[in-house]
Amino acid sequence: MTRPPQLHRIATPEAMETWRASSRTMHESAVLRRGEDDWLSPADIVSVLVESGQQNPHAITDQAIDIFARLVARGNVRAGRIDSTRFIPTDAEPKTVIETCVAEWRAMAPRFPRPGEITWLDLARDQLQSNPLTVPAS
């Protein structure tokens, strides 16, 4: 008898707690700003990293996945799908969203996800009111 694959290998309780407690990074703020007027996808996270000058595809993938996991775990974004007019959030728990999306993301490597692949993301309703998306000027 084969054992079923273990779920939530990446999104362990410890990882989820670490991601939830993490502080927002400059790259995460840039991703969230993109979501103020439109839906997001993992491709937007990759774009932010590439635009910041990062070049190593493996490092970009690893960092983009980490950003995705942190944003989902903290509740900054909701995963789901879009139809012709609206965003439809998934009913899945954040840890399941992270596990599923990361598995799909890693399966397509070394290629980066294209807009709309893997999942769509929408800002959580309270993001603009409780979490300013602007980064102070240096």
mmCIF file of all heavy atoms in Angstrom, residues 76-96:
data_model
loop_
_atom_site.group_PDB
_atom_site.id
_atom_site.type_symbol
_atom_site.label_atom_id
_atom_site.label_comp_id
_atom_site.label_asym_id
_atom_site.label_seq_id
_atom_site.Cartn_x
_atom_site.Cartn_y
_atom_site.Cartn_z
ATOM 1 N N ASN A 76 -2.950 39.513 3.139
ATOM 2 C CA ASN A 76 -2.871 40.726 2.322
ATOM 3 C C ASN A 76 -3.603 40.552 1.003
ATOM 4 O O ASN A 76 -4.135 41.516 0.443
ATOM 5 C CB ASN A 76 -1.422 41.106 2.024
ATOM 6 C CG ASN A 76 -0.616 41.391 3.267
ATOM 7 O OD1 ASN A 76 0.464 40.835 3.435
ATOM 8 N ND2 ASN A 76 -1.105 42.238 4.145
ATOM 9 N N VAL A 77 -3.589 39.321 0.477
ATOM 10 C CA VAL A 77 -4.271 39.004 -0.779
ATOM 11 C C VAL A 77 -5.106 37.748 -0.594
ATOM 12 O O VAL A 77 -4.840 36.931 0.294
ATOM 13 C CB VAL A 77 -3.271 38.796 -1.955
ATOM 14 C CG1 VAL A 77 -2.491 40.068 -2.246
ATOM 15 C CG2 VAL A 77 -2.334 37.629 -1.682
ATOM 16 N N ARG A 78 -6.116 37.645 -1.456
ATOM 17 C CA ARG A 78 -6.945 36.440 -1.516
ATOM 18 C C ARG A 78 -6.732 35.811 -2.879
ATOM 19 O O ARG A 78 -6.663 36.517 -3.885
ATOM 20 C CB ARG A 78 -8.426 36.784 -1.354
ATOM 21 C CG ARG A 78 -8.754 37.498 -0.076
ATOM 22 C CD ARG A 78 -10.193 37.958 -0.041
ATOM 23 N NE ARG A 78 -10.454 38.856 -1.179
ATOM 24 C CZ ARG A 78 -11.641 39.083 -1.709
ATOM 25 N NH1 ARG A 78 -12.701 38.491 -1.228
ATOM 26 N NH2 ARG A 78 -11.784 39.911 -2.711
ATOM 27 N N ALA A 79 -6.637 34.499 -2.913
ATOM 28 C CA ALA A 79 -6.508 33.771 -4.174
ATOM 29 C C ALA A 79 -7.897 33.421 -4.691
ATOM 30 O O ALA A 79 -8.851 33.308 -3.929
ATOM 31 C CB ALA A 79 -5.696 32.500 -3.964
ATOM 32 N N GLY A 80 -7.991 33.277 -6.005
ATOM 33 C CA GLY A 80 -9.262 32.892 -6.597
ATOM 34 C C GLY A 80 -9.172 32.871 -8.103
ATOM 35 O O GLY A 80 -8.102 32.702 -8.679
ATOM 36 N N ARG A 81 -10.304 33.064 -8.713
ATOM 37 C CA ARG A 81 -10.375 33.094 -10.176
ATOM 38 C C ARG A 81 -11.195 34.303 -10.586
ATOM 39 O O ARG A 81 -11.851 34.925 -9.746
ATOM 40 C CB ARG A 81 -10.978 31.811 -10.726
ATOM 41 C CG ARG A 81 -12.394 31.549 -10.284
ATOM 42 C CD ARG A 81 -12.890 30.184 -10.758
ATOM 43 N NE ARG A 81 -14.216 29.920 -10.257
ATOM 44 C CZ ARG A 81 -15.341 30.342 -10.813
ATOM 45 N NH1 ARG A 81 -15.297 31.072 -11.913
ATOM 46 N NH2 ARG A 81 -16.511 30.064 -10.287
ATOM 47 N N ILE A 82 -11.120 34.637 -11.856
ATOM 48 C CA ILE A 82 -11.954 35.724 -12.350
ATOM 49 C C ILE A 82 -12.825 35.192 -13.472
ATOM 50 O O ILE A 82 -12.446 34.278 -14.197
ATOM 51 C CB ILE A 82 -11.127 36.939 -12.823
ATOM 52 C CG1 ILE A 82 -10.101 36.552 -13.882
ATOM 53 C CG2 ILE A 82 -10.438 37.614 -11.661
ATOM 54 C CD1 ILE A 82 -9.383 37.741 -14.495
ATOM 55 N N ASP A 83 -14.013 35.745 -13.548
ATOM 56 C CA ASP A 83 -14.854 35.465 -14.701
ATOM 57 C C ASP A 83 -14.852 36.737 -15.548
ATOM 58 O O ASP A 83 -13.962 37.565 -15.405
ATOM 59 C CB ASP A 83 -16.250 34.981 -14.292
ATOM 60 C CG ASP A 83 -17.080 36.029 -13.563
ATOM 61 O OD1 ASP A 83 -16.714 37.225 -13.582
ATOM 62 O OD2 ASP A 83 -18.121 35.662 -12.995
ATOM 63 N N SER A 84 -15.823 36.914 -16.375
ATOM 64 C CA SER A 84 -15.796 38.068 -17.280
ATOM 65 C C SER A 84 -15.954 39.411 -16.567
ATOM 66 O O SER A 84 -15.635 40.452 -17.135
ATOM 67 C CB SER A 84 -16.876 37.917 -18.350
ATOM 68 O OG SER A 84 -18.146 37.854 -17.736
ATOM 69 N N THR A 85 -16.421 39.403 -15.311
ATOM 70 C CA THR A 85 -16.682 40.679 -14.646
ATOM 71 C C THR A 85 -16.162 40.814 -13.226
ATOM 72 O O THR A 85 -16.081 41.923 -12.711
ATOM 73 C CB THR A 85 -18.200 40.938 -14.572
ATOM 74 O OG1 THR A 85 -18.807 39.884 -13.811
ATOM 75 C CG2 THR A 85 -18.810 41.015 -15.953
ATOM 76 N N ARG A 86 -15.815 39.708 -12.564
ATOM 77 C CA ARG A 86 -15.502 39.843 -11.147
ATOM 78 C C ARG A 86 -14.506 38.787 -10.666
ATOM 79 O O ARG A 86 -14.272 37.792 -11.334
ATOM 80 C CB ARG A 86 -16.767 39.755 -10.308
ATOM 81 C CG ARG A 86 -17.456 38.419 -10.414
ATOM 82 C CD ARG A 86 -18.828 38.445 -9.763
ATOM 83 N NE ARG A 86 -19.525 37.221 -10.082
ATOM 84 C CZ ARG A 86 -19.709 36.230 -9.221
ATOM 85 N NH1 ARG A 86 -19.301 36.344 -7.990
ATOM 86 N NH2 ARG A 86 -20.344 35.135 -9.595
ATOM 87 N N PHE A 87 -13.976 39.046 -9.490
ATOM 88 C CA PHE A 87 -13.071 38.133 -8.808
ATOM 89 C C PHE A 87 -13.895 37.215 -7.923
ATOM 90 O O PHE A 87 -14.780 37.672 -7.192
ATOM 91 C CB PHE A 87 -12.074 38.932 -7.958
ATOM 92 C CG PHE A 87 -11.115 38.076 -7.191
ATOM 93 C CD1 PHE A 87 -9.977 37.590 -7.818
ATOM 94 C CD2 PHE A 87 -11.339 37.762 -5.868
ATOM 95 C CE1 PHE A 87 -9.079 36.788 -7.116
ATOM 96 C CE2 PHE A 87 -10.453 36.978 -5.161
ATOM 97 C CZ PHE A 87 -9.326 36.486 -5.787
ATOM 98 N N ILE A 88 -13.603 35.934 -7.974
ATOM 99 C CA ILE A 88 -14.308 34.943 -7.158
ATOM 100 C C ILE A 88 -13.269 34.267 -6.263
ATOM 101 O O ILE A 88 -12.471 33.460 -6.734
ATOM 102 C CB ILE A 88 -15.026 33.910 -8.037
ATOM 103 C CG1 ILE A 88 -15.984 34.627 -8.988
ATOM 104 C CG2 ILE A 88 -15.749 32.877 -7.177
ATOM 105 C CD1 ILE A 88 -16.398 33.827 -10.182
ATOM 106 N N PRO A 89 -13.247 34.620 -4.963
ATOM 107 C CA PRO A 89 -12.225 34.051 -4.082
ATOM 108 C C PRO A 89 -12.454 32.561 -3.849
ATOM 109 O O PRO A 89 -13.583 32.079 -3.858
ATOM 110 C CB PRO A 89 -12.384 34.835 -2.786
ATOM 111 C CG PRO A 89 -13.746 35.410 -2.823
ATOM 112 C CD PRO A 89 -14.134 35.537 -4.269
ATOM 113 N N THR A 90 -11.368 31.848 -3.624
ATOM 114 C CA THR A 90 -11.454 30.436 -3.304
ATOM 115 C C THR A 90 -11.936 30.261 -1.872
ATOM 116 O O THR A 90 -11.757 31.145 -1.038
ATOM 117 C CB THR A 90 -10.084 29.744 -3.487
ATOM 118 O OG1 THR A 90 -10.233 28.360 -3.211
ATOM 119 C CG2 THR A 90 -9.028 30.334 -2.577
ATOM 120 N N ASP A 91 -12.517 29.107 -1.605
ATOM 121 C CA ASP A 91 -12.918 28.762 -0.242
ATOM 122 C C ASP A 91 -11.791 28.057 0.513
ATOM 123 O O ASP A 91 -11.919 27.787 1.704
ATOM 124 C CB ASP A 91 -14.141 27.846 -0.260
ATOM 125 C CG ASP A 91 -15.387 28.551 -0.746
ATOM 126 O OD1 ASP A 91 -15.475 29.779 -0.591
ATOM 127 O OD2 ASP A 91 -16.283 27.876 -1.290
ATOM 128 N N ALA A 92 -10.706 27.759 -0.182
ATOM 129 C CA ALA A 92 -9.603 27.011 0.428
ATOM 130 C C ALA A 92 -8.909 27.830 1.509
ATOM 131 O O ALA A 92 -8.811 29.053 1.418
ATOM 132 C CB ALA A 92 -8.598 26.595 -0.642
ATOM 133 N N GLU A 93 -8.402 27.135 2.502
ATOM 134 C CA GLU A 93 -7.617 27.755 3.569
ATOM 135 C C GLU A 93 -6.303 28.286 2.985
ATOM 136 O O GLU A 93 -5.792 27.724 2.014
ATOM 137 C CB GLU A 93 -7.293 26.721 4.650
ATOM 138 C CG GLU A 93 -8.502 26.230 5.406
ATOM 139 C CD GLU A 93 -9.059 27.297 6.321
ATOM 140 O OE1 GLU A 93 -8.266 28.040 6.937
ATOM 141 O OE2 GLU A 93 -10.285 27.384 6.416
ATOM 142 N N PRO A 94 -5.733 29.331 3.574
ATOM 143 C CA PRO A 94 -4.460 29.867 3.071
ATOM 144 C C PRO A 94 -3.369 28.805 2.923
ATOM 145 O O PRO A 94 -2.633 28.799 1.938
ATOM 146 C CB PRO A 94 -4.082 30.929 4.099
ATOM 147 C CG PRO A 94 -5.396 31.405 4.618
ATOM 148 C CD PRO A 94 -6.256 30.165 4.664
ATOM 149 N N LYS A 95 -3.241 27.895 3.877
ATOM 150 C CA LYS A 95 -2.187 26.881 3.771
ATOM 151 C C LYS A 95 -2.409 25.981 2.560
ATOM 152 O O LYS A 95 -1.449 25.586 1.902
ATOM 153 C CB LYS A 95 -2.061 26.064 5.059
ATOM 154 C CG LYS A 95 -3.269 25.258 5.426
ATOM 155 C CD LYS A 95 -3.069 24.571 6.751
ATOM 156 C CE LYS A 95 -4.313 23.795 7.136
ATOM 157 N NZ LYS A 95 -4.143 23.150 8.433
ATOM 158 N N THR A 96 -3.655 25.684 2.233
ATOM 159 C CA THR A 96 -3.947 24.870 1.054
ATOM 160 C C THR A 96 -3.659 25.650 -0.220
ATOM 161 O O THR A 96 -3.119 25.105 -1.181
ATOM 162 C CB THR A 96 -5.417 24.399 1.084
ATOM 163 O OG1 THR A 96 -5.637 23.665 2.296
ATOM 164 C CG2 THR A 96 -5.753 23.542 -0.123
#
